[in-house]
């Protein structure tokens, strides 16, 4: 059963495929200035990684009628894990629960895949808000690092 994820304002937060109608809005998503040391300055970078790298799949994040973020996922066929990356929430939407709702929605989407045995992501050690968010969902450190970021894992379905 699909759970509905909402932000603190009660808006439904949904993941949507990147289309001709929404890609520009997703590309323009920019985080708060203080977060630019942890994520790209614009979600456009992640859209290009998805389009050109053939590893990541980008999704737009919509809260109510507005595109408010970006998240991407990938499957690592070497170890059978799914990865979450490139999660960016618009600066104007920070502190409204959009990131929490987005993470819940992407975990639900990946966990529903029959081959999902573990979900991983990584974050910068100084990003304490990300650490709190991921820990609250049950992610645990693996002991590994990816590009100097802490790798955490959540058991899949």
């Amino acid at each position: 059963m699909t759970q509905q994820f909402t932000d603190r304002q009660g808006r439904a937060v949904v993941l949507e495929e990147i289309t001709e109608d929404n890609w520009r809005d997703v590309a323009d998503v920019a985080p708060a200035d203080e977060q630019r040391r942890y994520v790209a300055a614009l979600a456009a970078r992640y859209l290009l990684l998805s389009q050109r790298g053939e590893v990541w799949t980008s999704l737009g994040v919509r809260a109510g009628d507005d595109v408010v973020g970006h998240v991407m996922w990938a499957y690592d066929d070497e170890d059978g894990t799914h990865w979450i990356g490139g999660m960016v929430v618009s600066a104007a939407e920070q502190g409204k629960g959009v990131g929490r709702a987005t993470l819940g929605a992407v975990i639900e989407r990946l966990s529903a895949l029959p081959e999902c045995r573990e979900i991983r992501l990584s974050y910068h050690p100084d990003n304490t808000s990300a650490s709190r968010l991921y820990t609250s969902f049950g992610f645990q450190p693996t002991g590994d690092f990816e590009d100097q970021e802490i790798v955490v894992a959540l058991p899949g379905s």
Side-chain angles (χ1 to χ4, degrees), residues 4 17-18 27 32 43 49 63-64 73 84 91 94 96 100 104 155:
Q4 180 169 348
E17 304 300 319
I18 304 300
L49 284 172
W73 68 273
I84 299 171
Q94 294 291 317
K96 297 180 182 178
R100 175 171 293 285

Side-chain angles (χ1 to χ4, degrees), residues 20-32:
E20 288 299 317
D21 295 329
N22 70 5
W23 76 266
R24 286 176 183 81
D25 291 334
V26 175
D28 288 343
V29 169

